[in-house]
Amino acid sequence: MFQPSPWRADFPAIAALQRQHQTYLDSAATTQKPQALLDALSHYYGHGAANVHRAQHLPGALATQAFETSRDKVAAWLNAADSRQIIFTHGATSALNLLAYGLEHRFEAGDEIAVSALEHHANLLPWQQLARRRNLRLVVLPLDADGRIDLDQALQLIGPRTRVLAVSQLSNVLGTWQPLPALLAHARAQGALTVVDGAQGVVHGRHDVQQLGCDFYVFSSHKLYGPEGVGVLYGRSQALERLHHWQFGGEMVQLAEYQSASFRPAPLGFEAGTPPIAGVIGLGATLDYLASLDAQALEAHETSLHQHLLRGLRDRDGVRILGKPQAALASFVIEGVHNADIAHLLTEQGIAVRAGHHCAMPLLRDLGLEGAIRVSLGLYNDSDDLQRFFEALDQGLELLR
Amino acid sequence: MSLPDQARQALEAFEQGKGWEQRARLLMQWGDRLEPLDETEKTEANRVHGCESLVWLVAEQVEGLWRFKASSDARLLRGLLALLLVRVQGLASEELAGLDLREWFTQLGLERQLSPSRSNGLHAVLQRMAELASNR
Ligand SMILES: Cc1ncc(COP(=O)(O)O)c(C=O)c1O
C-alpha cells in the first residue's frame, strides 16, 4: 500500500532530485531543507545583513534580534529552562571539541572518560585526544548483541574515577536508542559530567533536556533540516559554569588589555568571532516549521516507513542487518557481496545511500566489517522511495550473483 | 598518440554499452581479465589508501617503461582498474605524466567514477600513478 509523505512538497529539493532520477535515502548524513528555511535565508540576505551584538545601527539591531530569537526557539525546542543555556557552535563536532577543551582543566592524570563502542568519530576523537594530552584513561563501554550499550557492564565500568560520560542518544550506524536514563543517573551519582551526542536523536521525536537529566546536549542543525555551519550546545547552568573558555577573539571578551583579558559567561563567551548569522536565523525558521507539524502523524509516518525498510531487508536472502535498528535507519551487508559493489550499482540506479564506515571505524572493526550500506529516512521520504531502493537492490544483486 | 590494442577494444565495447546494466556487466568482464596479484604483492606499501575497499597497485619500471598490476576486493573496481591498466601499460614516465586519464574515462562513459566524493578509490589510484610518474 502506498504511504505518501504529507510533508514531501514542503521540501523543494526532493522534487528537483526526482527530476534528476535521484532517490534520497541519506538523511542521517544531511537533510534536505524546507521552503520555510529558504525563505528565511532569502529574507535575511534580501533585507540587509549585519553583524550581531556589536552594531548600534538598525540593521545590526534587527539581525541581533532575529539571532537571539533563534536562541529562544532552540531553547524551547529542547525545553531548556533558559535561552542562556544555548551556545551556538559551527556543528556537533565543534560543540564536542569545545567540551573536550573547556573541561580539560577538570582532569588529573589517571581520571577516566567513558564513551561507548558505537560513538561517531566526533564523539570519540576529542575525548581520545584529551585522554592522551592529560594521561587519562578512555573507558569504552561495550555493546550488547542488539547494538545498545550493555547496561550491566556499563554500570560497573562507570565509577568514582569517571569524570565525564559522553554517549550518543541514537546510533548513526545501528539506529538504536541508547539506555540514557539509567546511564546518566548512574554517572551523575558517581560525580561525572554527562554529555549526550544528540546529532541523530534530535531528528526523531522531541527530547526534553531537563527530563533527560544530562549536563550537556549537542546537535547539528543540518541534520535537523536546518542549514549547515551551525551547531548547538545545551548546558545545565551549573555545568556551563565549569567550562573554561577555549576560543578567543571578538565578542566573547568583556575587557581586553594588551597583557590580559576577562571573558563573558555563556553563551556569548563561547561564541568567539562572527557567528553563522544567517544559518542561526535559518535554524530558527526550520524549528518554526517543524513545530507546526503534527508530531503524532510524523512519528507514525517515520515508524511505519522504518518498519517497511526493515521488513524489506529481512525478506531478502543473505542480508545481514547490523544490530536491531529502532528508528530512522538501517545498515546492512550482504553475504558474499562486497558493499562497494552494491553501492556502485545503487548509485548507477540513482539511489542515494551511504556506503563505508560511517565515521565509526572502531565499531565496524568490532563487527568484523570493512563497511556497510546505510539507508536512512527523512520525514519527506515515502514508500515509493523504499520501493525504488528495493528494486534497485534486487537488480544489482541479480547482476552480481 | 595511438591507443594500445586492448584500450581500443575497451573503447569499442563501452561505446556500445548502453545503460547501467550493460556497463556493469562489461566492467565485471574486464575485471575478470585482470592478472591476479600474488599474496606477496598485497603489501602495505602497495596499498592505495583513501578507498573504502582494499586496493593494491604494484608498479615497476622495466627499461624505462612502466609495468603495473592492480587488484581490489571489490569486483566493479577491478573492472575500472583493468580499464586503467590497458591504457597506461608500457608507457614511459613522460608519456604517463602527459596522459589525461580523466579524458580516457570520459571516453569510456565512466567519468562519474572518478569523482573524489566517490569512495571507490579510482581517484586515489590515479593520484598514486601521477606521483609515480613525476618522481622517476
Ligand atoms: C552521531 C553523530 N555525532 C556527531 C556527528 C557529527 O556531526 P557534524 O559533522 O555535523 O559535526 C554525526 C554526523 O554524522 C553523527 O551522526
Side-chain angles (χ1 to χ4, degrees):
Chain A
M1 201 178 68
F2 176 56
Q3 184 194 337
S5 162
W7 310 285
R8 199 171 173 92
D10 300 341
F11 293 77
I14 293 293
L17 286 168
Q18 210 161 342
R19 286 193 293 276
Q20 302 163 56
H21 306 288
Q22 295 296 310
T23 300
Y24 193 75
L25 291 167
D26 194 17
S27 291
T30 199
T31 50
Q32 303 306 324
K33 312 306 175 196
Q35 184 63 45
L37 162 56
L38 309 194
D39 293 344
L41 290 179
S42 149
H43 183 273
Y44 169 66
Y45 284 129
H47 286 74
N51 214 326
V52 289
H53 301 131
R54 14 188 134 182
Q56 75 297 343
H57 48 64
L58 181 70
L62 290 176
T64 304
Q65 191 181 21
F67 185 89
E68 288 303 322
T69 303
S70 277
R71 203 188 299 278
D72 300 340
K73 289 174 186 170
V74 172
W77 187 258
L78 298 175
N79 194 33
D82 189 325
S83 300
R84 284 173 298 185
Q85 295 174 299
I86 303 298
I87 296 171
F88 287 118
T89 68
H90 297 281
T93 302
S94 74
L96 291 162
N97 277 283
L98 185 166
L99 290 175
Y101 282 99
L103 295 172
E104 177 161 351
H105 65 102
R106 293 181 49 81
F107 289 91
E108 285 167 22
D111 282 349
E112 296 177 356
I113 302 172
V115 299
S116 86
L118 54 68
E119 295 313 313
H120 187 281
H121 294 159
N123 194 33
L124 168 65
L125 303 182
W127 305 114
Q128 174 199 84
Q129 294 301 309
L130 167 60
R132 294 174 71 101
R133 286 198 299 279
R134 288 267 162 159
N135 255 319
L136 315 174
R137 223 161 70 82
L138 186 72
V139 175
V140 180
L141 308 175
L143 309 180
D144 65 17
D146 293 349
R148 289 155 59 88
I149 298 171
D150 184 320
L151 256 187
D152 289 342
Q153 294 194 60
L155 299 187
Q156 296 292 319
L157 288 165
I158 300 167
R161 302 263 13 208
T162 311
R163 314 254 46 185
V164 165
L165 166 71
V167 285
S168 292
Q169 185 176 28
L170 175 65
S171 163
N172 67 312
V173 179
L174 306 173
T176 44
W177 293 105
Q178 299 307 312
L180 292 187
L183 282 174
L184 300 182
H186 177 74
R188 267 185 102 170
Q190 299 290 329
L193 286 170
T194 56
V195 177
V196 174
D197 174 356
Q200 298 293 340
V202 76
V203 189
H204 303 282
R206 288 289 290 269
H207 305 282
D208 178 329
V209 287
Q210 297 189 63
Q211 205 176 7
L212 208 54
C214 56
D215 289 299
F216 298 103
Y217 186 91
V218 163
F219 74 89
S220 275
S221 150
H222 71 93
K223 292 188 201 277
L224 186 58
Y225 310 103
E228 59 275 357
V230 179
V232 166
L233 168 60
Y234 154 85
R236 230 164 32 88
S237 301
Q238 295 94 318
L240 287 172
E241 282 164 16
R242 308 231 167 103
L243 285 177
H244 278 192
H245 293 89
W246 82 302
Q247 284 188 337
F248 303 90
E251 210 172 333
M252 54 79 65
V253 70
Q254 231 147 22
L255 267 179
E257 295 179 54
Y258 283 117
Q259 304 298 339
S260 66
S262 61
F263 307 114
R264 296 173 122 161
L268 293 186
F270 295 88
E271 296 177 357
T274 298
I277 300 166
V280 166
I281 293 172
L283 172 60
T286 298
L287 292 181
D288 282 344
Y289 164 74
L290 292 174
S292 76
L293 307 182
D294 176 345
Q296 261 172 353
L298 192 72
E299 192 187 329
H301 176 73
E302 291 193 342
T303 305
S304 145
L305 269 194
H306 189 243
Q307 290 303 322
H308 180 170
L309 170 61
L310 294 181
R311 243 187 351 261
L313 288 173
R314 287 196 191 112
D315 280 351
R316 283 167 172 78
D317 283 340
V319 171
R320 172 183 158 206
I321 299 175
L322 311 194
K324 279 223 174 78
Q326 296 168 298
L329 58 90
S331 298
F332 64 95
V333 292
I334 296 175
E335 220 170 283
V337 178
H338 199 293
N339 75 74
D341 289 327
I342 290 289
H344 181 123
L345 296 181
L346 290 174
T347 303
E348 287 291 299
Q349 298 174 78
I351 306 294
V353 296
R354 260 298 278 278
H357 54 62
H358 311 298
C359 297
M361 286 191 202
L363 171 62
L364 270 287
R365 194 159 329 115
D366 275 0
L367 296 168
L369 300 172
E370 290 284 336
I373 310 278
R374 180 183 69 189
V375 178
S376 58
L377 305 168
L379 59 87
Y380 33 65
N381 286 120
D382 60 23
S383 59
D384 276 357
D385 291 337
L386 287 179
Q387 218 44 53
R388 278 193 292 273
F389 159 69
F390 284 123
E391 277 159 26
L393 182 64
D394 290 341
Q395 299 249 16
L397 286 176
E398 196 178 302
L399 210 78
L400 286 167
R401 275 173 173 163
Chain B
M1 195 162 41
S2 72
L3 279 180
D5 274 353
Q6 288 203 16
R8 201 191 322 279
Q9 270 178 34
L11 194 55
E12 273 169 26
F14 276 85
E15 275 173 348
Q16 282 164 19
K18 294 278 175 283
W20 69 272
E21 275 178 291
Q22 184 65 18
R23 278 202 304 273
R25 280 210 186 85
L26 282 169
L27 271 181
M28 291 195 281
Q29 285 165 15
W30 279 79
D32 290 344
R33 294 196 205 169
L34 207 56
E35 185 189 350
L37 291 189
D38 290 340
E39 284 309 308
T40 54
E41 289 171 311
K42 295 183 176 178
T43 61
E44 189 53 33
N46 288 331
R47 266 278 315 263
V48 181
H49 288 274
C51 324
E52 294 281 11
S53 19
L54 294 168
V55 181
W56 295 272
L57 180 67
V58 183
E60 58 172 356
Q61 270 181 311
V62 180
E63 292 169 8
L65 302 182
W66 283 103
R67 202 179 282 168
F68 293 106
K69 287 166 80 177
S71 192
S72 167
D73 56 344
R75 243 169 116 185
L76 293 158
L77 181 52
R78 281 205 293 277
L80 293 168
L81 292 170
L83 293 171
L84 172 62
L85 293 201
V86 296
R87 186 67 192 86
V88 299
Q89 215 56 282
L91 297 183
S93 280
E94 311 79 75
E95 290 173 305
L96 185 57
L99 190 60
D100 185 348
L101 285 169
R102 177 162 291 276
E103 173 60 26
W104 169 236
F105 280 97
T106 305
Q107 284 176 329
L108 293 168
L110 295 167
E111 65 276 15
R112 281 195 303 137
Q113 304 302 330
L114 273 178
S115 136
S117 83
R118 277 296 179 94
S119 45
N120 67 23
L122 191 55
H123 185 74
V125 172
L126 292 194
Q127 275 185 338
R128 169 75 69 93
M129 270 190 182
E131 280 164 31
L132 290 170
S134 61
N135 285 346
R136 290 193 226 179

